[in-house]
Amino acid sequence: MSLSKTLLRGAAVAGILGTLLSCKADHVVAPQFTASPIFKSYVALGNSISAGYQSGGIDDSTQQRSFPSLLAQQFGTPFTYPSLKNPGCPPPIANFQTGARVTPPGYPPSTGGSCFLRNAWSVTDVLNNVAVPGAVVADPSSPQGVAANALTTFILGGMTQVQRALVAKPTFVTVEIGNNDVLGPAITGQPGGATPLASFQSSYDQMVSQLLAGAPNVKGVLIGVVQVSAAPVLFPAAALASPLFVGGLSQAVGAPVTVHPDCLTAPGNGSLISMYIIPYLQGMKAQGLPPTIVCVKNDVPGMGDYLILDQAEQATVYNLINSYNNYIQQKAAAIGFAYWDPNAALLALNSVPGAINRPPNLASATNPFGTAFSLDGIHPSSSTDVVIANSLIDVINAKYGTSVKHVQ
Amino acid sequence: MSLHRSTRQFFVAAAVLALPATVSAQGFGLNEIGSCAIARGYAATGAPCKDASTIYWNPAYAAALSGNSLVIGAASIGVSGAFTRDTTLSRYPTDIPTAYPPNIFFNHRQSDDFSWGFGVYVPYGLTSQWNPDFPGRFLALKASIASIYFQPNFAWKINDRWMIGGGPIIGHSSVELIQSLDLSQQVAEVDPNLGPITFGMLGIARGTEFARATLKGDAYSYGVTVGIYGKLSDHWTMGARYLSSLNFNYTNGKATFQQIPTGLVLAANNPLNLPGGTPVDGVVAGQFTGTGALVAQGGKTELVHPDQAEVGFSYDGFDRWLLSGDYAWIGWKRFHALDIHFENPLLGTRTQYEDYNNSSSIRVGAQYTARNNWQWRVGFAGVSAAAPDVTVTPILPDQDRMNYTAGLGIPLTKGLTLDAAYAYVWTPGRAGRIVDRTSRSQTAAQVNGGVYTLQANIFSVTLKASF
């Protein structure tokens, strides 16, 4: 046999084999991240606003409409959240006037203590939204929780926010914490209970330090604290000059409400009154006392303080929040993060017709505080979550040179 | 919260132990038996190698061997791969140790028409192993099987053209599974309205490893193999073989459990109604002692190494060339589910749905014998996956495979030959899961969470003596 025939036959064999070898199966490519690399793993830390709390409750629907969820969609990044099974934990208020909450058929009426647990499908190892309603600045780095509630465990399962965030190996974070350090004291008229600035700074620093220790290259935005006095859950005492408004209050309380004259003159008419005055007045009625609103401390002994934020207290709260925000802004600059102060955007809503009802429209069961706020007068509505998300997108694009599109 | 009730008496409803469900899948199936066959793309049923390894590849052809034939060989199988997760895009590489399955064959020609011999080989025996941070460790951190077959063989020449052979199979199989247990999947309590409430529904993250389970067992089983070989013409031959299924009952399994600290601390006002600051590890510690569900206990299961059938043809009409092609079939269709029975009734029986399909492979090879009697070999085998899309797991991320092979045979002395072979195994990658499939209604789209990739480099050497 000649060499040429041998080579020819070898070539034929090689040809047959080559044909077979070329019949490769379709190649399945491992998933790849196609958006901006800094958004590869986005985690939201914070409190109820980041968590998606609305109308005094939280469920899967409100969680999906939270600003971090909206941001993640615009980032084009996967986003897992601790889905709370509808109707929620607790279910959101569905009727402002009756206080009725969403209740599934066959169940007793939902209350503020009802909880329908986590959706089993949402039990994941990586969680991109680790924000916990009610969290104060010390909570994200505190193992036991300072302001811990049932949602702390339902969402974090025994970890801190920072620990849970680091599981996701975050490349980008939003940190929105501090509102609850002053909100409760403000709406109860007891601003002395707010977290002192030094403690706030210490806790904030600890949180950021832990976060950066676990994710040294992480980028993000630190979000300032909302001027909580601007929330429509606090209404101006001057509104009590309106018989219509007082009539609405009386209807809500279930008895005629008496307005002390100090509410109609300075300085009392400059006070802010918490909507939680309604259950307080109901309590007075239950004790056989005439439901009365006093707007100046101790004009009537023992009254005029609780749930009343007078002008001096408003200034205290305002200045404290400014101090918080100055610190947060400095912190952001120090670690190379962007900073966003939410107050300008929220203040701008005042000029949007129907966005904020202050005082609230007590005749409305579904829109008492305006379209910008949910039925608890504290938490943003879904439309305001869009405003927040878009404002953050502007800040992020400016800081990081990205081109994230606005939520439509 | 209205779910305020004591949940201290939680129980572990089902530890997620499972044997390597796909151990006898093609991924764990080994054809690395004889360097000659490997180099020819495993196409060695219609054209067996002229040595005693034919006892495995085609037991009939042993009747064609002369004198005594002794084969001793081993392969080095290095498998590497990774899982890339859809959600985080994180990549988790495998940590699979190199395996060295040996084989020994001996054949003696008793008369012109009859030969006898035996073979000891490992048709199943690989390890699937991942690093401790692999999120799929709750299905398998390590799954290992080693099944060794001892096969006495008898072969007869029926006439000048045809021969038959076969023999019984005595199989021994040992398995080991190391698996993490996920606290989030354990039932904390059963609510009359809401049904079973898992720790995950109370907030414990998926992938909270609170225990590591090790299950070991071994078993014997028996089967049979038969083959036929014939010359169709001066240049064409054909062969076929059948290897029966071996049903291994691992009745002596031993399950042990090690508590793994979670480091979790319950916050105040938690739904378990435990004081704030309570370590979760203390809550579950009782499960590992006394009458707890996770104390050492027995376990048993059953695993079938399925039927195999192979048919092949060869042609040697080109001077110094031998061309061969085989078709192989493995009856995986009968592998529907795997039941693991635990001694402790709290763990009960655990079922994994497999729903495998029969698998096929096409093998082709070529051998050129040079004038100095060196034999150069090349081959290819394409293998279809047995696992359906919904059963691609870390225990076995089964997928279609392409085997590219080459090798040579070097005559050392008149009766002594050294064979060497190399095979590269390429896979296209396949979507798979790292979570349990709890119901047959769950589809691949619902449970798959990433892409598995695998490849392997195989080296084999065999020393052959004829005397």
Side-chain angles (χ1 to χ4, degrees):
Chain A
M1 182 168 180
S2 68
L3 179 61
S4 60
K5 284 184 176 177
T6 300
L7 292 174
L8 196 61
R9 286 164 184 168
V13 171
I16 293 168
L17 287 174
T19 302
L20 289 166
L21 301 188
S22 65
C23 296
K24 286 183 178 177
D26 291 339
H27 202 152
V28 179
V29 180
Q32 294 177 336
F33 190 72
T34 54
S36 177
I38 66 168
F39 303 132
K40 185 177 177 184
S41 178
Y42 162 52
V43 177
L45 298 92
N47 52 45
S48 51
I49 297 176
S50 290
Y53 200 93
Q54 286 189 24
S55 299
I58 181 169
D59 62 19
D60 184 76
S61 170
T62 63
Q63 290 174 292
Q64 288 188 49
R65 288 176 280 151
S66 67
F67 80 80
S69 285
L70 300 176
L71 280 181
Q73 289 173 30
Q74 300 311 106
F75 292 163
T77 190
F79 192 76
T80 56
Y81 60 97
S83 172
L84 292 157
K85 189 186 295 183
N86 289 332
C89 183
I93 295 166
N95 186 313
F96 169 75
Q97 291 173 317
T98 64
R101 292 173 183 268
V102 180
T103 302
Y107 282 80
S110 297
T111 68
S114 301
C115 181
F116 291 79
L117 311 178
R118 287 270 297 271
N119 270 311
W121 58 259
S122 81
V123 180
T124 58
D125 50 357
V126 171
L127 202 57
N128 295 97
N129 194 336
V130 302
V132 176
V136 298
V137 69
D139 280 313
S141 57
S142 169
Q144 297 183 33
V146 174
N149 54 67
L151 285 170
T152 308
T153 299
F154 278 125
I155 293 171
L156 301 177
M159 296 189 203
T160 67
Q161 285 196 39
V162 173
Q163 288 170 338
R164 202 73 176 86
L166 292 177
V167 172
K169 299 176 180 170
T171 57
F172 194 87
V173 296
T174 52
V175 181
E176 177 256 330
I177 195 78
N179 295 330
N180 292 316
D181 291 83
V182 67
L183 175 67
I187 63 176
T188 54
Q190 311 296 314
T195 302
L197 180 60
S199 300
F200 185 93
Q201 292 175 340
S202 172
S203 296
Y204 206 99
D205 186 58
Q206 183 173 341
M207 170 188 67
V208 170
S209 297
Q210 289 183 3
L211 189 61
L212 294 181
N217 299 315
V218 71
K219 306 295 181 192
V221 184
L222 302 185
I223 299 172
V225 176
V226 174
Q227 287 290 354
V228 293
S229 300
V233 72
L234 292 167
F235 66 85
L240 296 172
S242 163
L244 187 64
F245 183 71
V246 175
L249 276 179
S250 300
Q251 190 170 5
V253 172
V257 171
T258 301
V259 176
H260 192 278
D262 69 4
C263 294
L264 306 178
T265 57
N269 62 356
S271 295
L272 293 172
I273 302 173
S274 169
M275 283 299 293
Y276 289 94
I277 198 80
I278 292 175
Y280 178 78
L281 295 172
Q282 288 171 333
M284 292 180 74
K285 175 194 165 200
Q287 293 175 32
L289 300 171
T292 304
I293 301 175
V294 179
C295 295
V296 177
K297 191 185 303 182
N298 291 329
D299 268 5
V300 175
M303 297 187 71
D305 183 20
Y306 184 61
L307 301 174
I308 308 294
L309 197 66
D310 63 31
Q311 288 176 307
E313 292 170 331
Q314 291 171 43
T316 300
V317 168
Y318 183 84
N319 291 333
L320 181 62
I321 292 173
N322 274 347
S323 300
Y324 287 171
N325 287 344
N326 285 337
Y327 177 76
I328 295 172
Q329 186 172 15
Q330 290 168 16
K331 189 57 137 179
I335 64 174
F337 274 34
Y339 168 75
W340 180 60
D341 185 334
N343 292 297
L346 297 179
L347 201 62
L349 292 173
N350 279 315
S351 60
V352 177
I356 299 177
N357 295 336
R358 205 176 195 213
N361 176 7
L362 301 179
S364 173
T366 56
N367 186 29
F369 298 104
T371 56
F373 281 85
S374 64
L375 299 191
D376 56 24
I378 296 172
H379 295 95
S381 65
S382 298
S383 63
T384 304
D385 274 314
V386 173
V387 171
I388 295 171
N390 285 338
S391 299
L392 283 166
I393 286 170
D394 290 340
V395 169
I396 292 164
N397 285 340
K399 174 71 176 178
Y400 296 107
T402 51
S403 52
V404 180
K405 290 186 170 60
H406 271 190
V407 180
Q408 297 302 315
Chain B
M1 296 291 149
S2 56
L3 188 77
H4 278 178
R5 60 181 64 83
S6 172
T7 50
R8 292 164 193 259
Q9 300 302 318
F10 79 90
F11 56 89
V12 178
V16 284
L17 267 179
L19 278 170
T22 52
V23 285
S24 42
Q26 293 214 328
F28 282 87
L30 291 179
N31 288 313
E32 283 64 37
I33 300 169
S35 304
C36 167
I38 295 171
R40 281 163 39 180
Y42 312 95
T45 297
C49 298
K50 291 182 179 177
D51 60 51
S53 69
T54 192
I55 287 173
Y56 170 74
W57 290 101
N58 189 335
Y61 187 74
L65 301 178
S66 59
N68 297 308
S69 173
L70 177 66
V71 170
I72 299 174
S76 155
I77 304 174
V79 181
S80 63
F83 176 77
T84 304
R85 201 169 182 187
D86 284 342
T87 50
T88 63
L89 307 176
S90 298
R91 183 177 181 275
Y92 301 91
T94 56
D95 183 28
I96 303 172
T98 302
Y100 302 96
N103 57 80
I104 300 174
F105 294 94
F106 174 75
N107 189 71
H108 172 70
R109 183 163 184 168
Q110 187 71 33
S111 67
D112 287 347
D113 298 333
F114 175 68
S115 292
W116 61 267
F118 68 87
V120 180
Y121 52 89
V122 181
Y124 300 95
L126 275 183
T127 295
S128 166
Q129 188 166 318
W130 300 82
N131 290 300
D133 67 338
F134 174 54
R137 65 189 182 279
F138 301 96
L139 287 183
L141 183 61
K142 178 184 179 183
S144 171
I145 184 169
S147 296
I148 190 162
Y149 284 15
F150 174 72
Q151 177 195 336
N153 192 66
F154 308 96
W156 293 269
K157 276 187 178 175
I158 299 172
N159 53 43
D160 287 345
R161 288 185 175 272
W162 291 93
M163 50 197 84
I164 58 171
I169 301 281
I170 303 166
H172 177 264
S173 178
S174 59
V175 293
E176 178 185 11
L177 177 73
I178 301 176
Q179 192 176 50
S180 300
L181 300 188
D182 186 351
L183 183 58
S184 75
Q185 303 303 305
Q186 312 307 319
V187 174
E189 70 165 314
V190 178
D191 181 271
N193 292 318
L194 301 175
I197 297 172
T198 65
F199 279 92
M201 293 165 75
L202 300 178
I204 300 295
R206 179 183 283 275
T208 299
E209 182 179 9
F210 78 109
R212 194 166 291 174
T214 300
L215 184 65
K216 292 180 179 178
D218 66 335
Y220 284 95
S221 186
Y222 307 95
V224 65
T225 183
V226 293
I228 184 169
Y229 175 84
K231 293 181 179 177
L232 300 175
S233 68
D234 286 349
H235 295 297
W236 283 95
T237 66
M238 72 83 64
R241 74 176 178 99
Y242 167 75
L243 174 63
S244 74
S245 62
L246 267 69
N247 197 34
F248 289 96
N249 282 297
Y250 305 87
T251 55
N252 63 347
K254 186 77 173 174
T256 56
F257 302 88
Q258 173 195 3
Q259 184 173 7
I260 304 295
T262 65
L264 299 178
V265 177
L266 291 173
N269 303 309
N270 59 75
L272 292 169
N273 281 346
L274 293 169
T278 301
V280 169
D281 297 329
V283 176
V284 302
Q287 298 298 317
F288 297 88
T289 59
T291 57
L294 302 179
V295 295
Q297 59 192 275
K300 59 183 180 181
T301 190
E302 183 178 338
L303 202 59
V304 172
H305 293 21
D307 302 280
Q308 297 183 14
E310 192 165 344
V311 61
F313 296 88
S314 77
Y315 178 74
D316 65 356
F318 301 125
D319 189 25
R320 296 186 175 278
W321 282 95
L322 173 67
L323 307 179
S324 57
D326 284 7
Y327 168 77
W329 172 92
I330 301 181
W332 283 113
K333 192 80 174 177
R334 60 186 290 189
F335 190 39
H336 298 294
L338 186 72
D339 293 328
I340 314 289
H341 309 278
F342 290 96
E343 192 177 351
N344 188 324
L346 280 175
L347 297 181
T349 297
R350 160 86 184 150
T351 298
Q352 279 209 343
Y353 303 108
E354 304 296 339
D355 300 328
Y356 268 39
N357 301 309
N358 295 333
S359 68
S360 298
S361 64
I362 298 289
R363 304 163 177 177
V364 293
Q367 175 177 284
Y368 176 75
T369 303
R371 294 185 189 283
N372 60 1
N373 287 328
W374 283 41
Q375 293 185 318
W376 298 86
R377 301 171 182 126
V378 64
F380 166 80
V383 185
S384 67
D389 289 344
V390 76
T391 317
V392 182
T393 71
I395 297 173
L396 174 60
D398 195 24
Q399 44 196 291
D400 295 342
R401 283 182 281 154
M402 307 290 175
N403 298 269
Y404 308 94
T405 67
L408 76 168
I410 307 169
L412 301 177
T413 66
K414 184 180 179 183
L416 199 61
T417 301
L418 179 68
D419 281 344
Y422 168 74
Y424 173 70
V425 182
W426 179 88
T427 66
R430 193 176 188 194
R433 61 182 164 93
I434 53 173
V435 297
D436 202 10
R437 183 182 175 220
T438 55
S439 159
R440 277 205 161 95
S441 64
Q442 289 179 298
T443 65
Q446 291 171 325
V447 295
N448 286 349
V451 170
Y452 287 100
T453 54
L454 280 178
Q455 57 277 326
N457 290 285
I458 299 166
F459 298 92
S460 172
V461 291
T462 300
L463 195 60
K464 307 193 297 194
S466 55
F467 50 95

